[in-house]
Amino acid sequence: CWKRIVTLMCGCDRIVRERRSLFVGFIDALCDQLQACPKDLFINELSRENFLLDALQEHFERMDESQEEENDELRKRSERLRKLLRKRFQWDIDAILRTRSIEYDADDEYAPTIVYDVS
């Protein structure tokens, strides 16, 4: 149930636009939940490939792309979450997003095309 809620909340633009106070409360609750998680959550071999990685990356990508000024409170809460991830889990979301933006899947239509000279 928690996994579904986190995935939904982090992946839905509409919730952020239409239910901003709900989303602010969600970020606060998520911070509280993460405080209770072990510090090796994103490092431990058993838990490092969990759904939170993708969900949180999606949230921060959306926040970084958003230019709306009404998001001030949400930005503050997201920055609190970002600092928590960095301090408690040594998880640098900014570096991950930079790396993610230049990684391409071989089947990605937007990936660079490699041309070989066969002459």
Side-chain angles (χ1 to χ4, degrees):
C1 184
W2 187 68
K3 177 181 177 179
R4 288 181 182 164
I5 291 170
V6 171
T7 303
L8 173 70
M9 295 294 282
C10 288
C12 186
D13 290 329
R14 188 172 172 190
I15 290 174
V16 175
R17 285 191 315 272
E18 296 177 8
R19 307 278 187 193
R20 190 165 283 114
S21 63
L22 172 68
F23 200 80
V24 167
F26 163 73
I27 295 293
D28 287 342
L30 183 58
C31 285
D32 292 343
Q33 290 289 319
L34 288 170
Q35 288 284 2
C37 290
K39 291 183 178 184
D40 66 348
L41 178 67
F42 298 109
I43 300 168
N44 184 307
E45 193 168 320
L46 296 175
S47 62
R48 70 176 170 211
E49 296 294 326
N50 64 57
F51 74 96
L52 281 173
L53 294 171
D54 289 332
L56 292 172
Q57 286 174 9
E58 192 169 346
H59 165 71
F60 286 113
E61 283 175 344
R62 181 176 45 252
M63 288 308 300
D64 291 345
E65 291 170 1
S66 174
Q67 301 299 319
E68 296 178 35
E69 270 128 44
E70 308 90 62
N71 282 347
D72 282 348
E73 192 60 36
L74 183 54
R75 285 188 189 282
K76 288 177 190 174
R77 294 305 206 295
S78 292
E79 189 56 33
R80 176 179 169 230
L81 175 58
R82 191 181 302 248
K83 287 177 182 176
L84 171 67
L85 292 169
R86 190 177 301 123
K87 183 177 179 183
R88 182 167 179 80
F89 304 107
Q90 289 75 48
W91 197 52
D92 186 356
I93 187 67
D94 298 319
I96 291 168
L97 292 176
R98 282 191 303 273
T99 302
R100 187 177 183 189
S101 70
I102 60 172
E103 289 179 358
Y104 295 99
D105 184 15
D107 298 328
D108 187 350
E109 69 180 282
Y110 299 107
T113 302
I114 300 172
V115 180
Y116 296 98
D117 186 6
V118 292
S119 53

